[in-house]
Amino acid sequence: MTVFDAPNSYIGRSIPRPNLSRLTQGRGTFVDDIELARMLHAAFLRSPHAHARIVKIDTGKAARLPGVVRVLTGTDIAAVFKPYVGVLTHLQGMRSPPQHPMPADVARCQGEPVAMVVAESRAQAEDAVEAIEVEWEELPAALDMERALEPGEPVIHPDFGNNLCWERNIDTGGVDAAFAAAHAVVEETFHFGRHTGVTLEPRALIADYSKAEEALTVYYSGQSPHMLQGTLASRLQVQEHKVRVVCKDVGGSFGIKIHTYGDEMATCAAAKILGRPIKFIADRQESFVADIHARDHRVTARLAVDKDGHILALEMDDLTGIGPFSMFPRSSGVECNQILNLTGGPYRIPQYRARGRVVFQNKAMMCQYRAVGHPIAVAVGEGLVDLAAAKIGMDPAEFRRRNLLPDDGYPCKSAAGMRFEGLSHQAALAKLLKLMDYDKLRAEQAALRKKGIYRGIGLASMIEVTNPSPMFYGVGGARIAAQDGCTLRLDAAAGLHCLTGVTEQGQGLEAVMTQIAATAVGVTLACVRMHTGDTDKTPYGGGTWASRATGIGGEAVLQAGIELKRRVLEIAARLLKTKPEELDLVESKIVKRGTSEQLMPLYELTRIVYYRTNELPDDIQPELVVTRHYRVKDYAFVFTNGVQASYLEVDTDTGFVRLLKHWCVEDCGRAINPKLVDEQCRGGIVQGIGGALYEHCIYDERGQLVTTTMADYLVPMPVEMPEMEIGHVETPTQTSALGAKGAGEAGTGGAPAAILNAINDALAPLGAKVNAQPSTPEVVLKALGKI
Amino acid sequence: MPERIGITLKVNGEEVRQEVPVRLNLADFLRQELALTGTHVGCEHGVCGACTLRVNGRIVRSCLMLAAQADGCDVQTIEGLAASGEIAALQNAFIEHNALQCGYCTPGMLFAAADYVAARRPPNREAVREHLSGNYCRCTGYQSIVDAVCEVAAQDATKGGHK
Amino acid sequence: MKAPSFSYERAESVANAIELLARHGPDAQILAGGQSLMPMLNFRVARPAVLVDINPIADLAAIRVDKKGVFIGALARHADIEHSGEVAEQLPLVAAAMPQIAHPAIRNRGTFGGSCALGDPAAELPACCVALGAEFRIAGPKGERSVPAAKFFAGVYTTALEPGELLLGAQFPARQPGYVSRFLELTRRHGDYAMVGAAAHGRLDKGRLSDLKFVYFAVGDRPIMAMGLARAVEGKPLDAATIDAAVAALKDDLDPPGDLHASSVLKRHLAGVIARRMLNEYATHKGA
C-alpha cells in the first residue's frame, strides 16, 4: 500500500479549501487593504505618445501642490536603480537593450511611465501628475509587426540596426520532400489578437525601506516572491537577505504579476530614496496600458497528409510584436518559443520546419500570460488538422485517432524535440467523445442544418508544458528558481506548519499542500497551517507559474512529510519500546500498524519532545522539523495532455456566436483535489474563450490603445459563458513520487482552438471559414461575405 | 483646497459621523476612512461589480456614489452582511462549490447573489447568470458560482416557495 | 482614477436646484444617479467646478399614471421603472427595454432623467421615448417648458436642455388600443451598450402596421426614426415583399458611424437584421 491509497489518504479527495472562509467574509488581506504608518501613495505620468523624445520635464508646479512629497523623474530613479536586460542566453541571438524603470530620454510606447508623484493620497498624487509639464518631441513609431523589419521602418533601438529581437528556426530536413509527396496539403494564415490579463485586483505593491536597517520590505500582489527579491536586491543594491517580499492574498495573477514593471520598480526605488513606505495600486486604465499584453501573433502554416489521413509534415512561420523591450527577467521570446515547441505536439509528425520571429514595436510590452503560447500553438495545429480532415473527407475525430501519439508509445520525442514521458491522448479523446456523445451531437447538428440552424462541433487535442526544469529560465541566466522547497514543522501541540516556496493565487494551492502534508505525515487536515508568500519564512523557491506549484512544490511537501513521519515513528518506537515498523501515524494518532488502535496521541509525543526531553533517550534529537527541496531533472518539462470540445451556434445573420456547451478531458497526472482541477479547467476555458471571441487590445494608427476601459475591452461575463463538463484520465508522472503534473493552464490553452474549429464547422456548409481571433461578429460576417 | 463635508450615516448598523472630501467615493470612504476593506475596488467605473454593496437595502456600485451622497443612508458592507448571518447558506455553498478562487470578486458577487436569493427567485441557471451579469470573475468561469447560488435558491424553495 | 476636486451642493427642491445652477453657472453639473457621470469623474474626463446633487428632491422620483398617460420623474430609478406594474401595463415598450439596461446594481441607482439628459446615442430609453412620443418636462429660470422627445435629442451627448435647466421627467401618452411595441438590441454581452438596437411602436390591425415609429439607437448621433421603413410598411400586409422593401428603405434612413465594436458597414447590416426580425414578430403577433 502506498501513501496514496491508504484509507486515511486525503489525496484524490475534493476537500474544500481552508482559506475560503475569510474571503467570503470580506476578511482577506490584499495589498491595498494594508495601511502602514506614514505611508505615501504613488501615481505616474505616462507617455501619451507611442514614441517620443522627452525634451524637458518641469515638475515645479506639481511639487508645490497640496499633499505632494516628491516628484521623481527617470533620472532620479536611475541614480539608485540599475538597469536590466530582458534576454535569456539560451534563446540564442536574442537581444534587448538595457531598460530603466522610467526612461529619461525617450518613451517607447504609450503608457510607459516617465515621472512619478509621491503624495499623501492617491487623489493628490493624480492631481500633481496632471500638473507636470513635459515637452515632447514626437518620433515616428513602428507599430505594425508585419512592417517592423522592413527597410525604412523606424528602428526603435538604433544600435541594433533593425527591430528584430529574436529569431528561431527548426528544420528536420525532409519537409520539402514530404510536401512534394503529399496526397493533400492545407494551408492557412491565422491571426491572434492582443489581449491582456485583467486580474480583478490590479497590480499592487507597498515598498517600505528602513534606512536604519538598510532593509526593504515589499508587500506584493505577485506570483514569485523570491524572483522579485533577487531583482530588487541586485538592482537597488540592498543585501538580498535584507529584502523581504510578502505576498498575502492575491486577487488573480495569471502570469500578469510576475514581471518587472517600471512603475513597481520605481515605487521601490522611491521608497529607498524617501525612507517612507509607498503604496502603488495600478488603476484600471493603467492596467490596460501598462500590464503586459500577450498573444498578437500571425502564423502562416501548412500541413501535408497522405491518402489515409496520416500527417507527413508541418511547416509554419510565426511573427509576433512584443513592444519596445523584451521583458525582464523572463524575456518576451518565450511565447514564440513555445509556439515552435508545441504546435502539432499531440501528433506523430515526421517532418517539421518552423521559423519564429519576435520583433520590437512601439506598443505595450508583451510577455508570458496564462498558457504562454499554447492557445496559438493549439489553434494553429488543430485548425490545420480540421482543414486536412475536411480536405480528405474524414471525420475530425477519426483523423485525430489516426494521428495522435499512441498511449503505449512512451517515452518519445516530438518533431520539435520535446520529450514526452507518458501521455494519454487516445484515452482522453475516447473519453471526451463518450462524455459529449459525439455521434448523437453530429446527428443533431445535421438535423438542425436542414432547418437553417448552423451549429458547430470543434475538437482540440493538446499538450501542456508543466513542471519546468531549469531549462525554462535558469539555464538562460535568469534568477528564477526551478526547484522548490518545503519545511514541515510539528509544534508542541501537534500543529503542523507547512512552509512552501510556491504561492497561493486563488488556485487552491493551500488546500492541495494541506492534503499532501496531512497525508504524508499522518495528521488531520485541521491541524495543518499553511505559510506561503514570504521570503523571510518560506524555503527558497520559484513561486507559481508554468503550472509548477503542485507538481514541484507538492513533491517537496510529500518528501518532507515522509521524512517527518519517519522521525515521529522513530521517537514513538523508542518511547513505546517497540520498532518503528510496528507503528503508524494516522489522523494525528500513533497506532499499531495496520490497526486503528491508538497507542499514543501525537500531541503526547510532541509534548515529550518539546517539554519533557528528559524522557527522551540521549541519542534522540528533539527536532520535529524537516526541509526538503525538489527539482525536475530527467525531463526539461513534464507534459500533460488533454482534449476539449466546443458546441456552439452561429447566427449567420448577425455573426454572433452562442456557446452551447464545452467539454474537457484533462490528464494532469495524479489529481490531488479533483474539484480544484475541474475548477482550474473551467476558469481556464473561460479565459481562453475570452481571447477567442471577445478580448482585444485595439490600437489606433498612432499607437494609442483605445480599449482602456472595461466597457471597451470585453472580458467574459456570466450570461454568455457555457456550462462545462470536465473528465479526467490520470497518468501519474514517474518523475516524482507524487505523480502530479500541472493543471493551471490547459483550459486556456485549448479553448480557443475548440472555439475556432467549432465556428468553422458551423460555417462549413456555407463555404465560409474564419481564421482570426477574437472571432467577432464582424469577422464572422466578413467570412460569410455578408458585409 | 479640496472641499470637505460632514456626513452622518449608518454602516453595518453603527452610526458614523465623519468629515470627508466631497470627491471621495463611497468605496474609498469605507476602505480608507473606516478600514472596511472587504469592499473591493476593481475598475472604478462601474463595470466589474467588485465594489457592490447595499445602500438602503438595494445593491449599488460603491465606486459610482460619493461618500457625501451616503449622508443619511443605511450602508451594509460585506463585513456587516457576513456578520448578520443572512448569507450563511450562500457562504457555505460558495465554499463547497469552490465558487471563488482569488476571492477578490467574492464580496460583490455575494451581494448580487444575496439579492437574487432574498427576492425568493427560483434556482434557474439562466436567471441567476443574468442577475450576476454585472459581476466580473476572472478565475472561476462562473459555473461554480451559478451552482452555489442555485443550490441556495433551491433550499429556499423548500422553505417558503418562490415568487 | 480618483475624481478631481469639485464643490458639492445638495438641491432640496426643484426651485433650489434651479437657483444653484444659476448661481454656479456653466461650471455646475447636475448629479442624478451618477452611473455615467461618476465614471467620467473618476476618469477625470468630466471636470465640473460644482456638482449639484438632485437626489434629495424626492418629488422627482415619482411614476404617476392618470388619464393623460404616464409621467416618469427624472429621478425614478431604472429598477423602479422595471418593477412598476403601471409601466408594465401602460408602457410595455419601456418595460421590455428595462432589463436590457446594464445590470441590477446599476439599475438600482441609475435614473430615467440621467439616461435621457446624457443624450448617449447608444442608450435604450431615449429611443423608447421617441418611439412613444413622450414629452420632456423641463424646469428653468424662466419657468417650465415641454419638448417632444423627437426634438429633445440633438446630437452625441447633446439635448435640448439649456444651461441652468433641469429635466423634471417625461409625459408619455396613454396607451392606445391596437398599438403594439417591439424592442430588440444586439449586444456582445448582456447589459452592454448595444451595437445596434431599435424600439418600435405602431398600430397593428389584421396583420397590417400603421403609424409605426421605428426608432434605432447606436446607429447615429441620436435616436434615429426610420421614416422610410415606416412608409414601406404603412397599411401593407406584412409579407416577405413588404419586409424586404422596408429593410431596403433603411439605406436612406440610416448612415451609421462606426465605433470600436462595429464598423459602419456592420451596423448597417445589423440594422437590417433587426428590422427584419422585429417586423417578422409583428407579422406573427397574436392577439391583434
Side-chain angles (χ1 to χ4, degrees):
Chain A
M1 195 187 305
T2 72
V3 65
F4 304 113
D5 42 33
N8 59 320
S9 173
Y10 295 108
I11 289 173
R13 285 165 59 180
S14 295
I15 63 150
R17 292 164 52 198
N19 47 347
L20 293 192
S21 224
R22 69 166 190 276
L23 294 171
T24 61
Q25 297 177 45
R27 305 282 179 179
T29 307
F30 298 92
V31 170
D32 197 23
D33 301 343
I34 299 169
E35 284 289 319
L36 300 181
R38 287 174 48 75
M39 188 169 74
L40 300 169
H41 299 262
F44 290 87
L45 174 71
R46 296 176 182 278
S47 170
H49 304 293
H51 198 191
R53 183 173 308 285
I54 304 164
V55 180
K56 201 173 109 189
I57 299 188
D58 185 347
T59 60
K61 202 170 136 199
R64 290 189 295 276
L65 285 178
V68 175
V69 173
R70 190 74 68 88
V71 184
L72 296 160
T73 65
T75 310
D76 300 323
I77 299 297
V80 298
F81 202 100
K82 286 167 39 180
Y84 37 94
V85 178
V87 301
L88 295 169
T89 55
H90 69 303
L91 303 185
Q92 286 168 12
M94 174 180 279
R95 55 192 190 166
S96 185
Q99 189 183 5
H100 291 275
M102 299 197 292
D105 51 352
V106 175
R108 294 175 182 86
C109 68
Q110 180 214 8
E112 191 172 13
V114 296
M116 172 188 195
V117 176
V118 182
E120 298 288 343
S121 75
R122 169 77 185 202
Q124 288 173 325
E126 288 186 26
D127 293 343
V129 164
E130 291 184 326
I132 297 172
E133 290 162 305
V134 184
E135 189 185 322
W136 295 100
E137 178 197 337
E138 256 195 274
L139 301 171
L143 298 169
D144 183 355
M145 66 186 185
E146 296 284 353
R147 291 210 316 258
L149 298 177
E150 285 177 11
E153 190 70 359
V155 176
I156 297 172
H157 307 293
D159 291 352
F160 287 170
N162 64 28
N163 289 320
L164 185 68
C165 168
W166 184 54
E167 175 169 341
R168 182 188 174 197
N169 287 280
I170 301 176
D171 193 346
T172 55
V175 170
D176 291 330
F179 272 94
H183 168 70
V185 172
V186 290
E187 179 167 350
E188 182 63 281
T189 298
F190 300 88
H191 301 271
F192 301 90
R194 248 179 197 248
H195 45 259
T196 185
V198 200
T199 57
L200 187 48
E201 178 207 27
R203 288 185 296 109
L205 63 71
I206 300 169
D208 184 8
Y209 183 77
S210 162
K211 290 193 174 180
E213 295 183 359
E214 295 179 330
L216 176 68
T217 303
V218 179
Y219 299 90
Y220 176 53
S221 177
Q223 304 172 231
S224 186
H226 281 106
M227 185 191 105
L228 181 65
Q229 177 194 44
T231 300
L232 290 173
S234 63
R235 300 303 96 186
L236 266 178
Q237 299 174 74
V238 180
Q239 283 183 293
E240 188 152 325
H241 65 282
K242 287 187 176 176
V243 176
R244 180 184 180 194
V245 178
V246 182
C247 302
K248 298 195 173 197
D249 288 312
V250 174
S253 48
F254 314 112
I256 295 297
K257 297 175 178 174
I258 202 160
H259 309 296
T260 304
Y261 290 100
D263 45 26
E264 296 178 1
M265 297 306 111
T267 301
C268 295
K272 189 178 179 198
I273 292 168
L274 293 175
R276 285 178 69 173
I278 303 176
K279 179 185 274 188
F280 167 64
I281 311 289
D283 68 30
R284 187 52 60 189
Q285 286 197 303
E286 290 183 292
S287 300
F288 280 118
V289 298
D291 284 9
I292 56 118
H293 294 177
R295 320 305 185 221
D296 207 5
H297 287 249
R298 188 271 293 143
V299 181
T300 299
R302 59 186 189 135
L303 191 74
V305 297
D306 71 13
K307 64 179 173 24
D308 299 321
H310 295 116
I311 297 171
L312 302 173
L314 171 66
E315 179 175 24
M316 69 166 193
D317 181 59
D318 174 36
L319 176 68
T320 182
I322 55 157
F325 293 92
S326 172
M327 198 95 184
F328 180 79
R330 288 168 190 261
S331 96
S332 303
V334 172
E335 184 148 87
C336 170
N337 197 42
Q338 298 270 69
I339 292 166
L340 265 59
N341 283 343
L342 302 177
T343 303
Y347 303 101
R348 274 175 308 205
I349 299 182
Q351 297 294 339
Y352 181 49
R353 183 162 62 209
R355 176 175 72 156
R357 286 172 302 159
V358 176
V359 300
F360 295 117
Q361 59 182 169
N362 295 112
K363 289 183 179 175
M365 287 169 69
M366 297 220 306
C367 200
Q368 281 76 299
Y369 164 54
R370 194 178 197 176
V372 188
H374 293 67
I376 293 151
V378 184
V380 168
E382 296 303 287
L384 289 175
V385 158
D386 269 22
L387 287 173
K391 185 147 191 180
I392 62 168
M394 188 179 287
D395 180 89
E398 175 57 28
F399 188 95
R400 284 174 175 77
R401 254 186 234 116
R402 290 190 187 194
N403 286 285
L404 285 169
L405 295 168
D407 291 353
D408 58 1
Y410 299 98
C412 67
K413 204 170 177 182
S414 77
M418 298 294 105
R419 288 174 62 229
F420 304 131
E421 174 237 3
L423 301 173
S424 61
H425 286 297
Q426 299 283 354
L429 177 64
K431 188 157 192 174
L432 180 93
L433 296 176
K434 199 171 161 207
L435 199 63
M436 65 193 287
D437 205 344
Y438 182 76
D439 295 335
K440 194 174 154 202
L441 217 54
R442 283 280 177 217
E444 178 181 293
Q445 176 191 35
L448 288 169
R449 266 182 194 170
K450 289 180 191 150
K451 297 183 190 168
I453 294 169
Y454 294 94
R455 290 190 171 180
I457 300 165
L459 300 175
S461 288
M462 65 177 294
I463 51 172
E464 187 205 336
V465 170
T466 78
N467 297 7
S469 74
M471 298 309 288
F472 220 148
Y473 294 117
V475 295
R479 299 166 54 125
I480 302 167
Q483 62 72 44
D484 231 292
C486 169
T487 296
L488 287 177
R489 190 182 83 221
L490 206 44
D491 277 0
L496 181 66
H497 292 270
C498 177
L499 294 74
T500 168
V502 291
T503 53
E504 172 72 274
Q505 321 298 133
Q507 79 277 42
L509 186 280
E510 294 194 4
V512 165
M513 298 303 165
T514 298
Q515 287 172 270
I516 298 169
T519 302
V521 179
V523 297
T524 60
L525 289 172
C527 73
V528 181
R529 189 163 167 86
M530 290 298 307
H531 304 269
T532 65
D534 186 339
T535 55
D536 265 10
K537 292 182 179 169
T538 70
Y540 198 96
T544 293
W545 44 271
S547 297
R548 70 186 292 280
T550 299
I552 294 177
E555 178 70 9
V557 176
L558 179 69
Q559 295 304 334
I562 289 169
E563 171 59 14
L564 182 58
K565 181 176 191 167
R566 193 194 64 75
R567 286 192 200 175
V568 167
L569 293 182
E570 187 179 72
I571 295 169
R574 297 289 286 275
L575 293 171
L576 294 165
K577 303 199 183 337
T578 178
K579 290 180 188 155
E581 309 86 75
E582 303 295 320
L583 300 173
D584 202 356
L585 178 55
V586 177
E587 299 268 309
S588 301
K589 292 176 217 149
I590 312 289
V591 298
K592 195 167 167 215
R593 180 168 290 273
T595 75
S596 55
E597 183 193 337
Q598 177 176 307
L599 303 174
M600 178 194 262
L602 180 60
Y603 65 77
E604 183 59 28
L605 181 142
T606 52
R607 282 182 202 172
I608 291 169
V609 167
Y610 289 112
Y611 301 143
R612 304 197 301 265
T613 45
N614 54 307
E615 294 178 25
L616 289 179
D618 287 349
D619 60 336
I620 290 286
Q621 273 291 324
E623 184 184 63
L624 294 176
V625 55
V626 174
T627 297
R628 284 289 181 274
H629 284 249
Y630 171 71
R631 63 184 168 127
V632 175
K633 53 180 185 292
D634 301 326
Y635 285 83
F637 315 104
V638 178
F639 282 91
T640 71
N641 66 279
V643 57
Q644 294 185 29
S646 166
Y647 189 43
L648 54 74
E649 186 173 311
V650 178
D651 182 330
T652 55
D653 291 326
T654 62
F656 277 51
V657 172
R658 187 160 67 97
L659 303 172
L660 301 169
K661 186 87 193 259
H662 204 100
W663 297 265
C664 170
V665 173
E666 166 73 358
D667 185 347
C668 60
R670 192 181 309 284
I672 312 302
N673 185 320
K675 173 78 179 163
L676 294 181
V677 175
D678 287 359
E679 290 306 306
Q680 280 302 298
C681 291
R682 291 201 175 95
I685 287 165
V686 165
Q687 212 159 359
I689 290 171
L693 294 178
Y694 296 98
E695 299 181 37
H696 201 182
C697 298
I698 302 171
Y699 281 85
D700 70 11
E701 66 287 352
R702 294 186 56 224
Q704 302 284 316
L705 184 68
V706 290
T707 47
T708 59
T709 76
M710 290 187 69
D712 298 321
Y713 184 89
L714 308 182
V715 291
M717 297 299 279
V719 172
E720 294 75 24
M721 290 304 109
E723 303 283 335
M724 295 160 273
E725 208 173 322
I726 315 293
H728 301 277
V729 174
E730 281 196 37
T731 312
T733 172
Q734 304 302 312
T735 57
S736 70
L738 187 63
K741 310 172 190 174
E745 301 170 276
T748 305
I755 301 284
L756 183 77
N757 282 351
I759 292 173
N760 283 331
D761 186 46
L763 298 181
L766 301 168
K769 66 178 162 115
V770 302
N771 57 13
Q773 291 189 331
S775 302
T776 60
E778 191 119 26
V779 167
V780 172
L781 289 173
K782 274 187 181 153
L784 284 164
K786 296 204 174 180
I787 58 170
Chain B
M1 286 296 287
E3 296 230 2
R4 299 178 76 83
I5 191 169
I7 56 172
T8 304
L9 67 160
K10 264 193 177 168
V11 178
N12 299 329
E14 287 177 30
E15 186 174 285
V16 174
R17 284 166 185 274
Q18 200 112 351
E19 190 173 270
V20 297
V22 297
R23 63 164 152 172
L24 189 68
N25 68 44
L26 179 58
D28 284 348
F29 168 69
L30 294 166
R31 293 179 50 80
Q32 294 165 12
E33 306 283 324
L34 304 186
L36 291 168
T37 55
T39 299
H40 294 158
V41 174
C43 76
E44 298 179 282
H45 56 284
V47 184
C48 79
C51 67
T52 305
L53 45 69
R54 278 184 190 154
V55 174
N56 296 339
R58 286 181 165 197
I59 57 168
V60 302
R61 304 281 207 240
S62 57
C63 74
L64 297 189
M65 191 172 164
L66 297 172
Q69 293 184 288
D71 183 51
C73 290
D74 187 347
V75 173
Q76 190 178 35
T77 70
I78 185 64
E79 290 90 344
L81 181 69
S84 75
E86 179 192 327
I87 57 163
L90 270 174
Q91 288 167 314
N92 288 336
F94 267 56
I95 292 169
E96 202 59 40
H97 290 276
N98 203 55
L100 62 153
Q101 289 184 24
C102 78
Y104 202 79
C105 73
T106 308
M109 199 65 84
L110 282 168
F111 267 107
D115 201 49
Y116 188 89
V117 172
R120 310 197 69 80
R121 297 180 62 186
N124 174 297
R125 297 185 76 82
E126 286 72 35
V128 168
R129 283 179 182 273
E130 210 168 299
H131 203 77
L132 304 178
S133 64
N135 290 75
Y136 169 55
C137 168
R138 188 50 136 177
C139 300
T140 62
Y142 303 106
Q143 185 169 328
S144 56
I145 297 173
V146 179
D147 290 342
V149 178
C150 282
E151 182 179 287
V152 175
Q155 287 164 6
D156 249 40
T158 59
K159 278 187 240 149
H162 293 110
K163 279 190 181 172
Chain C
M1 275 183 62
K2 303 299 177 192
S5 285
F6 47 76
S7 301
Y8 174 80
E9 302 263 23
R10 288 195 188 103
E12 303 295 338
S13 66
V14 170
N16 183 208
I18 300 300
E19 192 238 322
L20 287 168
L21 291 173
R23 190 192 308 160
H24 295 294
D27 292 340
Q29 170 86 49
I30 295 169
L31 174 61
Q35 303 303 285
S36 297
L37 178 55
M38 284 291 297
M40 287 195 259
L41 287 168
N42 291 347
F43 287 134
R44 296 188 173 223
V45 173
R47 312 293 297 234
V50 183
L51 281 185
V52 176
D53 184 356
I54 60 167
N55 283 277
I57 313 175
D59 292 353
L60 283 182
I63 299 171
R64 286 193 301 270
V65 182
D66 58 23
K67 59 180 187 305
K68 286 187 297 180
V70 183
F71 183 84
I72 300 182
L75 272 183
R77 309 284 166 182
H78 293 324
D80 295 332
I81 303 170
E82 181 184 7
H83 297 119
S84 158
E86 286 101 335
V87 169
E89 192 186 311
Q90 292 291 323
L91 306 173
L93 178 62
V94 173
M98 294 318 299
Q100 311 300 320
I101 300 174
H103 313 285
I106 301 279
R107 295 201 290 272
N108 280 339
R109 188 92 190 133
T111 64
F112 174 77
S115 283
C116 293
L118 182 65
D120 187 323
E124 292 88 350
L125 281 172
C128 294
C129 291
V130 173
L132 294 171
E135 294 247 330
F136 286 105
R137 293 291 295 161
I138 297 165
K142 292 179 227 154
E144 290 192 17
R145 66 186 180 112
S146 288
V147 177
K151 292 192 174 157
F152 181 81
F153 300 102
V156 179
Y157 300 125
T158 309
T159 67
L161 284 165
E162 298 288 340
E165 288 189 323
L166 174 69
L167 181 63
L168 300 176
Q171 177 68 47
F172 290 84
R175 186 174 182 180
Q176 291 173 271
Y179 275 71
V180 174
S181 301
R182 279 290 174 267
F183 183 89
L184 184 61
E185 66 175 24
L186 292 172
T187 60
R188 292 300 312 281
R189 304 172 306 174
H190 180 84
D192 282 358
Y193 275 108
M195 295 168 87
V196 180
H201 187 66
R203 203 162 83 89
L204 186 63
D205 185 25
K206 298 188 181 69
R208 290 165 195 247
L209 273 168
S210 57
D211 191 22
L212 177 66
K213 305 287 190 294
F214 199 100
V215 184
Y216 279 98
F217 50 99
V219 294
D221 66 348
R222 67 193 86 181
I224 307 286
M225 181 98 77
M227 313 284 275
L229 176 145
R231 275 195 301 276
V233 299
E234 177 76 25
K236 301 216 176 83
L238 280 173
D239 55 19
T242 305
I243 292 175
D244 283 348
V247 172
L250 287 175
K251 190 170 166 294
D252 297 325
D253 283 341
L254 307 176
D255 184 15
D259 61 31
L260 199 51
H261 295 296
S263 65
S264 174
V265 176
L266 176 60
K267 281 184 182 255
R268 189 180 279 286
H269 171 81
L270 294 178
V273 173
I274 279 188
R276 194 173 291 282
R277 289 185 178 177
M278 290 170 73
L279 292 173
N280 274 321
E281 282 183 30
Y282 273 116
T284 56
H285 181 78
K286 302 275 189 294

